[in-house]
Amino acid sequence: MSQLFHPAANSIAKISVVAGALAAGLVAILVLFVLPRSSYVTRQHEARVQPVPFYHAHHVGSMGIDCRYCHTSVDRSAVAGIPPTKTCMNCHSQIWNQAPTLEPVRESWRTGQPIEWVKVHDLPDFVYFNHSAHVNKGVGCSTCHGRVDKMSFVWQEESLLMEWCLECHRQPEKFLRPKSEVYDITYQAPANQLEMGHQLVKEYDVYPQVTCSTCHR
Amino acid sequence: MILRVSALVALLAVAGLGCRQDMHDQPKYKPYRQSEFFTDGRAMRPLVAGTVAQGTLRDDTALFTGKSGGDFVTEIPLAVTADLLERGRSEFQVFCSPCHGRTGKGDGMIVQRGFKRPTSYHVDRLRQTPVGYFFDVITNGYGAMSDYAAQVPVEDRWAIVAYLRTLQLSQYAPAADVPADRKAELEASLQALDAHEAAGEGH
């Protein structure tokens, strides 16, 4: 009876045990550490199509309308505020008031039924976030939201992962800007950011917590 | 080997089936969330007409309507401080300047895009108009202008009115009001303006 296995089969068997363990480890790393950070999971940089072609690039970038004109409660509430249809009609009662693309806006205005905007920045429900606490302490809109004045349909500029939150909560001096610049979407950090940041931390009394219950409450 | 890989994939797929986002998407209402319970689909409920939250009975008519005994008030019912003016400037630039322009001439970007041009603040009639009138216009709207009651809180509306007076003054102050040590700056800017207009670039 001839040999069923080639003599090399012993080595292959031994190597395959090690290789299998390595492959399993690699898959585990991918599933646990790489996949959750990927934009496939975080949906980072994925522009969301909205029911109305509302372009921030046009309204903010070209027209120069301030963020707060629509997101009115950003400096006094946890939520920045999604504008009611009336805010659209402040201008669009006269401008583009026949445009077919704006028919959903006019329909909403006639019926009182809100436009169903698609939420772009959807934090998990076990996270508490307060806009006013941030903008009133020198965290600029564009620090988290990016250059919204260049986006047509808005996307999520950052990962919104917990490690991303902690990056700033641990070292706010890297990101703070003067309060007068918070709403300037074109703001560029100066060369002496760290020096200025340390000063702003003291001046604005910024001591962000990193305990669990700060955000998970 | 193929068997092993497919077994691993199958195992991951089964494990993946167990992954749900129940903690991420909890069955509770948060601001702007959709409701399947209310027929209009809104979790945020409109206030019942006539609702007054505790401590917010608006019985100070001068402060909340800009009127006193049916007439527009002539004095801002808040202490006009540098802070209030600063707040007024920032709020004016956010909410008013799109149409009225940064100097209040009525030449804002939205007007340039075809919105009805508002009256310039720098006309005699509006310089004489009592402050309560401006508060009333912000609160209730006027002509093509919508009301801004929902977008601008009461104190901020008065801050805007105070800043509006500042704007009017900035375009209509007598030269005698300029401090002696800064007269030279005024002269220089006037000369620059003349030169600018002489060059035919003025409009």
Side-chain angles (χ1 to χ4, degrees), chain A residues 132-139 176-177 179 182 200 204-206:
Chain A
S132 69
H134 290 82
V135 295
N136 292 333
K137 291 271 185 179
V139 180
L176 288 186
R177 57 173 89 169
K179 285 182 189 176
V182 164
L200 292 178
Y204 297 161
D205 195 23
V206 179

Side-chain angles (χ1 to χ4, degrees), chain B residues 31-185:
Chain B
Y32 299 101
R33 190 158 284 181
Q34 198 163 28
S35 165
E36 286 174 9
F37 180 77
F38 296 104
T39 46
D40 64 0
R42 268 182 273 201
M44 298 201 300
R45 306 310 304 154
L47 294 179
V48 174
T51 304
V52 178
Q54 279 194 4
T56 63
L57 181 63
R58 301 184 154 199
D59 51 356
D60 184 344
T61 52
L63 181 65
F64 289 102
T65 65
K67 288 179 191 166
S68 179
D71 294 326
F72 291 121
V73 296
T74 52
E75 297 269 325
I76 292 171
L78 293 171
V80 179
T81 59
D83 281 349
L84 189 84
L85 288 175
E86 202 53 59
R87 178 73 181 165
R89 172 162 68 177
S90 85
E91 299 306 285
F92 178 87
Q93 291 182 351
V94 172
F95 295 103
C96 314
S97 73
C99 288
H100 291 280
R102 294 243 164 162
T103 58
K105 283 185 191 160
D107 57 354
M109 180 57 95
I110 306 304
V111 170
Q112 293 172 37
R113 287 300 175 121
F115 203 90
K116 187 172 183 291
R117 189 185 178 105
T119 309
S120 165
Y121 298 147
H122 311 295
V123 296
D124 261 340
R125 179 173 67 80
L126 290 181
R127 278 192 285 259
Q128 310 300 332
T129 302
V131 286
Y133 171 79
F134 297 107
F135 180 89
D136 182 68
V137 169
I138 303 173
T139 308
N140 299 309
Y142 178 82
M145 173 181 157
S146 313
D147 72 87
Y148 279 72
Q151 280 163 280
V152 187
V154 169
E155 280 77 10
D156 286 350
R157 275 176 245 163
W158 282 115
I160 289 172
V161 173
Y163 181 68
L164 201 154
R165 279 286 191 242
T166 314
L167 276 181
Q168 288 181 326
L169 192 62
S170 77
Q171 307 293 311
Y172 198 66
D177 283 359
V178 179
D181 59 330
R182 306 199 61 178
K183 278 254 164 68
E185 275 179 60

Side-chain angles (χ1 to χ4, degrees), chain A residues 69 86 90 94 113 125, chain B residues 26 40 116 146-148 151:
Chain A
Y69 186 89
K86 176 180 170 295
N90 283 353
Q94 294 208 353
Q113 196 61 22
D125 286 357
Chain B
Q26 296 165 17
D40 64 0
K116 187 172 183 291
S146 313
D147 72 87
Y148 279 72
Q151 280 163 280

